């Protein structure tokens, strides 16, 4: 009899996986002698199964349950109030501070303006008051023409004043009575009359 109590046996029929006769050693489901079956089981507990943990440590997961908005596993980025990933919440604020508002700065840098505060002013070149109209201001060209006309009028008035002043030098005060003073012009130049 061999160690396994088999007549003419070779002693192998009762050996465990450690070659101990009638020993307790057995192969687990992974084929490991004396193993606990964990070396080849998948995340579902199936020996040599195909189930695996994803990047988020979820068994048979799709790897998206722990991604942030930039697709970084366990990342810290989130969508802000403007639906911007890792934003500061200011990307959708208009110039009035309204979230998702529609106001913008116009070309005059006025929030929600219509661009009229710095737009060119419609002017006219005419110097004729009747043709100009009350609503249209004069252009620079018209103003220069007007200034020139005023300067010419001023020069003409200055000439008239000098001429009158020269004539006034010939006026004298003549006493014609106790109660009445009269101005009489003494004209030495009879040709001027």
């Amino acid at each position: 009899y061999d160690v396994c109590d088999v007549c003419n046996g070779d002693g192998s029929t009762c050996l465990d996986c450690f070659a101990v006769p009638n020993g307790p050693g057995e192969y687990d489901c992974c084929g490991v002698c004396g193993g606990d079956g964990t070396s080849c089981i998948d995340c579902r507990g199936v020996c040599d199964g195909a189930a695996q943990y994803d990047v988020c440590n979820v068994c048979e997961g799709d790897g998206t349950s722990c991604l942030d908005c930039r697709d970084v596993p366990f990342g810290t980025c989130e969508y802000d109030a403007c639906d911007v990933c890792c934003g500061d919440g200011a990307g959708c604020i208009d110039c009035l501070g309204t979230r998702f508002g529609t106001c913008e700065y116009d070309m005059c840098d006025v929030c929600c303006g219509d661009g009229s505060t710095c737009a060119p002013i419609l002017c006219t070149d005419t110097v004729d008051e009747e043709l100009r109209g009350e609503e249209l201001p004069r252009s620079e060209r018209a103003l220069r023409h007007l200034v020139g006309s005023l300067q010419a009028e001023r020069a003409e008035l200055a000439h008239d004043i000098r001429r009158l002043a020269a004539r006034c030098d010939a006026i004298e005060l003549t006493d014609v009575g106790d109660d009445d003073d009269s101005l009489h012009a003494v004209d030495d130049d009879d040709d001027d009359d």
Side-chain angles (χ1 to χ4, degrees):
Y1 290 94
D2 61 10
V3 292
C4 298
D5 204 23
V6 175
C7 182
N8 291 323
D10 61 4
S12 63
T13 57
C14 69
L15 298 180
D16 65 5
C17 61
F18 290 114
V20 175
N22 299 309
E26 294 180 339
Y27 288 100
D28 64 9
C29 66
C30 300
V32 177
C33 180
D36 59 3
T38 60
S39 61
C40 69
I41 60 172
D42 65 6
C43 59
R44 296 278 183 203
V46 178
C47 290
D48 295 318
Q52 295 179 341
Y53 287 100
D54 65 5
V55 292
C56 300
N57 204 29
V58 175
C59 183
E60 289 194 311
D62 61 2
T64 61
S65 62
C66 67
L67 299 181
D68 66 2
C69 58
R70 287 187 174 169
D71 294 332
V72 177
F74 302 105
T76 59
C77 281
E78 296 178 343
Y79 286 99
D80 65 5
C82 299
D83 204 27
V84 176
C85 181
C86 259
D88 58 3
C92 63
I93 306 298
D94 68 2
C95 58
L96 287 179
T98 304
R99 188 171 48 171
F100 297 110
T102 58
C103 283
E104 297 178 340
Y105 286 99
D106 64 7
M107 64 179 183
C108 304
D109 203 29
V110 175
C111 181
C112 256
D114 59 4
S116 63
T117 56
C118 66
I121 299 175
L122 182 63
C123 299
T124 179
D125 282 340
T126 183
V127 294
D128 191 327
E129 289 292 337
E130 294 182 2
L131 295 178
R132 180 172 72 90
E134 296 180 359
E135 71 281 358
L136 293 179
R138 291 185 176 94
S139 66
E140 182 180 357
R141 177 181 174 191
L143 289 174
R144 288 182 182 276
H145 178 79
L146 183 61
V147 169
S149 298
L150 292 174
Q151 288 176 339
E153 289 180 14
R154 179 183 177 189
E156 186 176 343
L157 286 173
H159 174 72
D160 289 344
I161 290 172
R162 284 193 301 273
R163 191 165 51 96
L164 288 173
R167 293 187 69 188
C168 286
D169 288 342
I171 295 176
E172 65 180 13
L173 181 64
T174 304
D175 186 13
V176 294
D178 294 335
D179 299 325
D180 187 31
D181 287 336
S182 300
L183 287 176
H184 293 276
V186 179
D187 195 348
D188 294 334
D189 190 356
D190 294 337
D191 296 334
D192 290 343
D193 291 326

